[in-house]
Amino acid sequence: MLLTAAAKTPRLSIAPMMDWTDRHCRFLHRRLSKHTLLYTEMVTSAALVRGKALHLLAYSPEEHPVALQLGGSDVAELAQAAKLGEDAGYCEINLNVGCPSDRVQSGCFGAVLMEQPALLAECVSAMQAAVSVPVTVKCRIGVDDQDPEEVLPEFLARIIGAGCERVAIHARKAWLQGLSPKENRDIPPLDYDLVMRMKGLFPNLEISINGGITSLAQAQEFLDAGLDGVMIGRAAYHDPAAILCDADPVIFGTGTRVEPEEAVHEMLPYIDAHLTEGGKLGQITRHMLGLFTGRPGARAWRRILSEGAHQPGAGSDLVLQALAQIQPSSGLRNAG
């Protein structure tokens, strides 16, 4: 399968998010931006290697550029999983070193690996040796009682030594005890300055910043300040038009703004094909609810899709019915 790989850090990417950035979400996001790098949900190496769950690697070639995020801590298993990802056509293999959930802690991966830098380096080295596409890391600035000023430089030096040239840093600590995964996304304070200092310490490491970024203007500020890329998570999911419709001209300097109405029409053949294969409308439209956030008619759009998508026989006609509730954009965003 043809690999679509980027030579350097993508200037903008959408963070991997469990239960959200599935293949239907990514197909929608690709309708809004041609160049933003998209990530899968985290897939465990055990599921691919031991569980033979290769269906988890399924995606549409139209999603490119798209990267696979893996979770795990077994060196040989991660190397095998990375090779499976490369063979499936992913342009990058990313290792999750940031998720603080109980599930990943019990499996000794995710943010737990920040406490085991030697093991992490071994994992990265084995993965990079197994594939020709970039192996990258997504991490936090530290965990629990670690001092980020001390541990983050050592952590980055370790992964650089293992062959990693690109990292996405969520600019918050992860608290493995006492905070839920949801609380870990909001409560630990952001330390953007620390991430900026890491770029100064490691100028050849391509660094993307993640955490609390809610607009393209904010993303551009980080790029102007010298970071290589910006990764946006929840803001891009809940209000994809605000982040992605202008991403290509504003962040990548190419193309023109995409209107969300255009994206909806482009989704219709994809929806029809999904339904023909036995899928359900709601599996796709749940990712489309925020497309018109702030636009007149947005509430009706969400209501029609939320109430109707799970009804028998629901299809693309329902999407068009919901779209008819959206008033033409006046360039202003209101409560909708």
Side-chain angles (χ1 to χ4, degrees):
M1 182 177 293
L2 177 67
L3 295 175
T4 302
K8 66 185 296 292
T9 301
R11 290 172 61 81
L12 181 69
S13 59
I14 303 303
M17 293 175 280
M18 290 299 294
D19 299 322
W20 287 3
T21 52
D22 65 16
R23 59 193 179 97
H24 305 309
C25 175
R26 298 192 305 268
F27 194 89
L28 169 66
H29 285 178
R30 184 58 66 220
R31 309 276 71 73
L32 303 174
S33 169
K34 287 181 169 54
H35 301 291
T36 300
L37 177 63
L38 305 179
Y39 282 84
T40 67
E41 304 170 87
M42 182 185 70
V43 178
T44 68
S45 57
L48 295 178
V49 176
R50 282 181 267 158
K52 308 297 183 184
L54 298 185
H55 66 279
L56 297 175
L57 298 177
Y59 69 97
S60 166
E62 293 182 55
E63 294 172 35
H64 276 303
V66 59
L68 170 68
Q69 186 182 67
L70 293 175
S73 59
D74 182 293
V75 176
E77 193 172 77
L78 278 169
Q80 292 178 64
K83 186 64 170 70
L84 290 171
E86 180 182 46
D87 291 346
Y90 287 98
C91 68
E92 171 189 323
I93 311 298
N94 178 266
L95 181 59
N96 183 320
V97 192
C99 181
S101 75
D102 291 341
R103 175 171 170 251
V104 301
Q105 289 186 55
S106 65
C108 193
F109 58 97
V112 173
L113 281 174
M114 294 206 72
E115 298 179 312
Q116 302 182 55
L119 173 59
L120 172 64
E122 193 176 353
C123 291
V124 171
S125 180
M127 292 168 68
Q128 192 63 80
V131 300
S132 58
V133 297
V135 171
T136 67
V137 167
K138 184 174 187 291
C139 65
R140 296 287 186 120
I141 60 174
V143 298
D144 293 341
D145 294 323
Q146 288 181 336
D147 181 354
E149 292 278 1
E150 294 182 3
V151 301
L152 188 57
E154 179 185 354
F155 174 90
L156 295 179
R158 288 265 195 170
I159 64 173
I160 291 170
C164 179
E165 299 178 349
R166 186 188 302 170
V167 64
I169 305 175
H170 186 157
R172 284 188 175 94
K173 266 190 176 185
W175 286 95
L176 303 178
Q177 304 295 329
L179 292 181
S180 69
K182 181 180 185 300
E183 290 170 329
N184 261 295
R185 292 191 292 267
D186 295 301
I187 292 177
L190 288 159
D191 192 344
Y192 294 143
D193 289 342
L194 177 61
V195 179
M196 295 298 304
R197 290 197 294 276
M198 293 305 102
K199 184 60 187 175
L201 284 176
F202 303 99
N204 294 325
L205 178 64
E206 297 174 2
I207 298 177
S208 291
I209 194 166
N210 172 235
I213 301 164
T214 58
S215 70
L216 286 185
Q218 189 181 7
Q220 189 62 57
E221 289 176 2
F222 284 116
L223 295 171
D224 292 343
L227 288 178
D228 302 285
V230 177
M231 177 180 280
I232 301 181
R234 286 168 290 163
Y237 186 84
H238 291 303
D239 192 357
I243 302 299
L244 290 169
C245 284
D246 286 309
D248 288 355
V250 171
I251 301 296
F252 296 94
T254 184
T256 57
R257 172 181 169 83
V258 175
E259 293 300 332
E261 290 92 336
E262 298 174 43
V264 171
H265 283 287
E266 290 183 5
M267 289 296 294
L268 298 180
Y270 180 82
I271 288 171
D272 290 340
H274 179 65
L275 296 178
T276 298
E277 294 169 358
K280 300 186 185 313
L281 179 62
Q283 293 170 320
I284 297 175
T285 56
R286 72 186 185 97
H287 303 300
M288 300 172 68
L289 297 179
L291 259 180
F292 297 99
T293 296
R295 289 272 299 274
R299 188 172 291 113
W301 158 266
R302 293 191 298 268
R303 176 181 53 78
I304 290 171
L305 291 183
S306 296
E307 294 177 358
H310 303 287
Q311 298 299 318
S316 54
D317 288 348
L318 181 76
V319 178
L320 291 173
Q321 178 189 339
L323 183 61
Q325 309 305 309
I326 301 298
Q327 298 179 31
S329 176
S330 62
L332 300 174
R333 297 169 71 83
N334 59 38

